Amino acid sequence: MADVGEARQKSRRRGEILNEETRCIYCEAAPDTIEHMPPTTFFENRHRLSGFEFASCQACNNGTKAADVVASFLLRLNPNGPSDLEAREGKALLGSAEDLAPGFCREITRLQRLRPHVWGRRPSGVLERRVEIALDGPILRRHMEVFSAKLGMALYREYVKAPLPPEGGVFTHWLSGIPQNVADAHFRILPNFDQLRQGKQVSGDQFRLRYNTDERTIVGAMVGFRSNLHISLFAVASPELYAPTFKAMPYDLMRLGQLRQRLLAAEDL
């Protein structure tokens, strides 16, 4: 049970965040709730440190939870085999996805490919046959596009100190299961490092990022969740200026206010 003083501190923190903002970080509506980015479900045993909390409207916060759940599940697809904890948490997330992301569980089942002659050992020491999931389903892609854009809009607010303007957008590209040396090479390109901190605790590999920004119109970042999921993004005030650069690259563009529409389109797939 939370201490009364701690509850009051959280209440003040919530009020401060909402009072500082005139609009949601994801659209132009008035904010009335707090968004945690990344969400609590991203962390082992839901133990999330403080920080990276933003004002959002309830429609965007609740209406994009499906994308959070799908991304939370994806980061538990350890290429070396899930730990016992990852396996348990992944199974629980599939239960939530069944309600929030219609069709996602069926798509994941359809995309599973059993490799009968390939065995691996879990961190617990148990041998098991490896199951490969092809991460190219349209429902999965739509949800990851939305989550990646949410992350970009949040980081823009964090480092530019203002929400992405109405004409702004986020270019994103997500990768799952890339070799650690490749991920580290991408991380080294960017100069600034950040993560969640609370006292002496840090989020470590559960959430880390490197970024660069002019503090006015653009934030570029590489974000890692454990060793399983990485997102490269550029949140910009004027997407048209950068569209030619990303035209030949596998980056998706999401504009302010498009998150829920993209998820609704995924339900029709």
Side-chain angles (χ1 to χ4, degrees), residues 63-64 66-67 142-143 146 258-267:
T64 59
R142 289 286 177 89
H143 284 78
V146 170
Q258 292 184 340
L259 301 174
R260 284 179 293 150
Q261 291 88 335
R262 187 72 64 96
L263 287 183
L264 289 173
E267 294 182 10

Side-chain angles (χ1 to χ4, degrees), residues 74-87:
L74 189 61
L75 69 84
R76 288 170 170 85
L77 296 183
N78 193 321
N80 298 316
S83 66
D84 292 339
L85 178 60
E86 285 175 328

Side-chain angles (χ1 to χ4, degrees), residues 61-197:
N61 198 340
N62 292 342
T64 59
K65 280 186 177 179
D68 297 348
V69 169
V70 169
S72 297
F73 173 78
L74 189 61
L75 69 84
R76 288 170 170 85
L77 296 183
N78 193 321
N80 298 316
S83 66
D84 292 339
L85 178 60
E86 285 175 328
R88 289 196 304 272
E89 291 179 337
K91 185 177 180 180
L93 285 164
L94 280 179
S96 298
E98 189 69 47
D99 297 327
L100 294 170
F104 174 69
C105 292
R106 291 192 300 274
E107 181 177 87
I108 284 295
T109 301
R110 189 173 68 251
L111 295 174
Q112 288 186 12
R113 298 165 183 168
L114 183 63
R115 296 183 287 173
H117 303 298
V118 178
W119 290 76
R121 192 177 298 276
R122 280 190 173 189
S124 63
V126 177
L127 281 171
E128 63 180 2
R129 280 195 296 177
R130 289 288 189 239
V131 175
E132 181 182 78
I133 299 178
L135 302 178
D136 56 1
I139 296 176
L140 171 63
R141 288 201 307 271
R142 289 286 177 89
H143 284 78
M144 285 305 303
E145 289 165 1
V146 170
F147 176 77
S148 300
K150 287 181 63 177
L151 178 63
M153 293 173 189
L155 294 184
Y156 188 95
R157 174 62 185 86
E158 181 73 12
Y159 299 122
V160 176
K161 305 303 180 186
L164 193 69
E167 65 276 11
V170 187
F171 295 93
T172 64
H173 179 54
W174 59 273
L175 308 100
S176 178
I178 62 174
Q180 191 60 48
N181 63 323
V182 175
D184 289 341
H186 282 83
F187 270 97
R188 285 193 291 269
I189 294 172
L190 298 165
N192 304 303
F193 177 78
D194 210 349
Q195 59 187 333
L196 291 179
R197 296 178 176 85

